[in-house]
Amino acid sequence: MARSLVLSLTLAFLFIGMVSARDWNILNQFKGLKSTKTTTSQKGVATLKDPNLTGYCESWRINVEPHNIRDFTVVPQECVWFVQKYMTSSQYEDDVERAVDEAILYLGKTCCEKKKCDGMDAWIFDIDDTLLSTIPYHKSNGCFGGEQLNTTKFEEWQSWGKAPAVPNMVKLFHEIRERGFKIFLVSSRKEYLRSATVENLIEAGYHGWSNLLLRGEEEEKKSVTQYKADVRTWLTSLGYKVWGVMGAQWNSFAGCPVPKRTFKLPNSIYYIA
């Protein structure tokens, strides 16, 4: 009888454990959180560091990357600290490096030597948070997405031309260029920032691109998605084969014509459609 009682209790505990594990969900955990200690950094970033909140914020960030979460205007306040931590971490750099490695592997299936390229093989890069990092701006001004971007202040920062290269991207840029691809830089930056952008790119280690396309007055009337799709249409009409597009926002890839391959770099600080 004693043995039967022990067995019954053991099965009961196992069953409870299975039910708890099955029903556990980070969103439910988040809703049931008790008040947590909130601190505010000197930059005004609210910091709530609860184990469950960490899981929730990671889930939020991950769902931004595959475009499940769209059209957000600001990062949830409870997750600003988490986005900042990730974007300034070695994990972010490792994630970018992995994307670079995958792009290089893909290159081996296209034009892997100059002699195999006919001069009409193209690759498109975005600029901000793809070639040049905006993290220094967010460290000093932007609160890592916790408030809407101040366009005037951000463009002033861009005009200084001091943005560093995104880790590992100089390596990929020159790998592609040396294989004979024509590199096109397609940015949502405004045309008046051309000189500052060129100087910044060169200072960061980029050179040898075929064209730098920025938004003039007519392009500013379009959505960023339409503007970038129109650039791909133009390149295709000239006879270029767009083998790859790399960007940190989904607007770099949306619309037609669809490039042969896309590579998305992590960035959950902002969303631009």
Side-chain angles (χ1 to χ4, degrees), residues 9 20 40 60 68 89 91 114 157 163 202 211 214 216 225 246:
L9 289 173
S20 298
T40 304
W60 183 86
N68 293 335
S89 71
Q91 182 61 59
K114 288 184 179 181
W157 179 82
I202 294 174
N211 203 340
L214 305 178
T225 297
M246 201 162 206

Side-chain angles (χ1 to χ4, degrees), residues 34-262:
K34 295 180 179 179
S35 60
T36 57
K37 184 178 180 180
T38 303
T39 59
T40 304
S41 70
Q42 292 182 347
K43 303 298 182 184
V45 179
T47 303
L48 290 77
K49 296 187 178 179
D50 181 278
N52 290 327
L53 186 57
T54 297
Y56 168 76
C57 292
E58 174 64 358
S59 295
W60 183 86
R61 186 190 70 80
I62 288 296
N63 276 278
V64 165
E65 295 304 337
H67 215 199
N68 293 335
I69 294 176
R70 305 182 182 187
D71 301 318
F72 64 89
T73 54
V74 295
V75 173
Q77 286 298 311
E78 63 270 20
C79 295
V80 173
W81 70 272
F82 184 86
V83 170
Q84 177 177 5
K85 180 180 178 181
Y86 170 73
M87 293 298 295
T88 56
S89 71
S90 60
Q91 182 61 59
Y92 165 73
E93 295 185 11
D94 288 345
D95 292 345
V96 173
E97 184 176 18
R98 181 63 182 175
V100 168
D101 290 344
E102 290 300 319
I104 292 175
L105 284 173
Y106 167 67
L107 288 172
K109 302 175 183 178
T110 55
C111 295
C112 55
E113 296 177 7
K114 288 184 179 181
K115 63 183 180 182
K116 292 184 180 179
C117 294
D118 61 7
M120 300 303 290
D121 299 284
W123 191 283
I124 296 174
F125 283 106
D126 199 344
I127 293 179
D128 288 307
D129 294 307
T130 302
L131 297 182
L132 299 177
S133 174
T134 68
I135 289 176
Y137 170 82
H138 293 288
K139 279 184 175 179
S140 58
N141 299 293
C143 292
F144 282 86
E147 57 188 46
Q148 288 190 337
L149 189 69
N150 184 318
T151 304
T152 300
K153 186 181 290 187
F154 184 58
E155 289 181 1
E156 180 184 10
W157 179 82
Q158 289 174 322
S159 72
W160 298 343
K162 300 299 183 182
V166 171
N168 301 294
M169 289 303 295
V170 173
K171 164 189 169 183
L172 177 62
F173 180 94
H174 290 295
E175 178 81 20
I176 292 174
R177 185 179 62 82
E178 290 167 5
R179 287 174 185 259
F181 286 85
K182 297 294 180 64
I183 294 178
F184 293 87
L185 308 184
V186 183
S187 174
S188 58
R189 289 188 178 202
K190 295 178 181 178
E191 181 62 38
Y192 84 90
L193 290 167
R194 178 172 295 275
S195 295
T197 301
V198 170
E199 291 175 8
N200 196 164
L201 286 165
I202 294 174
E203 182 68 24
Y206 303 103
H207 57 82
W209 60 82
S210 294
N211 203 340
L212 168 61
L213 295 112
L214 305 178
R215 297 174 79 189
E217 290 184 7
E218 288 302 313
E219 286 75 24
E220 287 180 38
K221 298 176 183 178
K222 305 176 184 177
S223 68
V224 177
T225 297
Q226 187 61 54
Y227 156 64
K228 292 184 177 180
D230 287 349
V231 170
R232 295 198 302 276
T233 299
W234 172 66
L235 289 174
T236 302
S237 71
L238 295 178
Y240 283 101
K241 299 180 288 292
V242 181
W243 288 96
V245 177
M246 201 162 206
Q249 292 286 313
W250 282 96
N251 59 44
S252 294
F253 322 122
C256 295
V258 178
K260 294 179 183 294
R261 183 71 187 268
T262 62

